[in-house]
Amino acid sequence: MDSYTIGIDLGGTNLRIAAYAPGASNQQFLARVDLPTRVGAGPASVVKEMAEAIRGLAEGLPRMELRGVGLGTPGPLELPAGILHGLPNLPGWDRFELRREFECALAGAGVRCPVHVESDANVAALAECVLGAGSALGVDSLCMLTLGTGVGNAIILGGAIFSGAHGMAGEAGHLTIWPDGVACNCGNTGCLEVYASATAVRRMAEGAADSGVAPGLKAWRESTGALDAQAVFQLARQGDRDALGIFTTVGIALGIALAGLVNTLDLRLYVVGGGLAGAWEFFSPAMLRELNTRSYVYRLVNERLTDRRIAIVPAVLGPDSGLLGAALLALGAQSREPEI
Ligand code: ADP
Ligand code: MG
Ligand code: ZN
């Protein structure tokens, strides 16, 4: 009997669920469900919704065996317990026992199979390593930033997720970019996340529209009633100066963070994914400029060791890297690194 896995990419905005047959090339899912994440309904309700969607997918594949379910979730996620802690973008989810509650909900929906839980950025990075930017460059180590509702981060070393002592490695979304900057939900001020997430783009756009100095943003809000990151992207495509300026701020913040990551890790590959990475053409020039100015490791390698240049690239698998990574995780192909 042919088998498949189900991957879930749980985000602060989007909830994506898909069935995946091992060996299929990227983004060829057997079936998928895309939903908005009903954050306000609370974790128990969202977990139940996920379990029901999985039952629906499984019922549609009656002649195939479900090998396992992989779940990528915003962190910090305590492993191996699978407990969420102090999530900046999912208020009310603090201390939620995600693994246990999800297993119970699946059993309640009549689905029986192993469950694997990981941080959303970790699974996205895993997919990029195995089937995306990593395999394209011929490397099995990379660092990834995911730009969505928040900013996720992951480090893959030798094909394995680097998890840290508590499962909480890869929280570079909360690196300090500007010490006295905007307050972040994590308790710090001026984090990368408050300048380089879709939420940050919306906040900056709203602020500019309110201040009266950005006529294009203001007019868009008046005609559509909304000013999200997608709208700022559309305005940037039309050449709107203020929309382009917001993406320059995003790029500068990313460049500062990447300079620290490049100097610390000295990897060959850094991948930028998540929904906001769709605006790569607008933020990447400032990002690369800033990185080049601030990281001497980046400059030295790319000027002198040109056969092993450092690559900074958008996610090859696009917005589905997290979904694909969650499905891969459920294959059990991923070996965790030894306990620290
Ligand atoms: P999450 O995982 O937190 O749910 P995603 O990674 O799915 O978030 O990203 C969703 C966000 O990305 C939305 O806020 C959406 O407006 C934004 N987004 C999607 N495409 C683009 C684009 N081309 N330009 C700017 N923002 C985009
Ligand atoms: Mg996400
Ligand atoms: Zn923070």
Side-chain angles (χ1 to χ4, degrees), residues 34 37 45 71 93 116 122 147 150 165 183 210 239 242 254 272 285:
D34 289 274
T37 309
S45 168
L71 168 59
W93 291 51
H116 308 255
N122 283 350
L147 317 181
D210 288 344
D242 302 296
L254 285 169
V272 182

Side-chain angles (χ1 to χ4, degrees), residues 174 184 186 191:
H174 300 275
C184 179
C186 78
C191 290

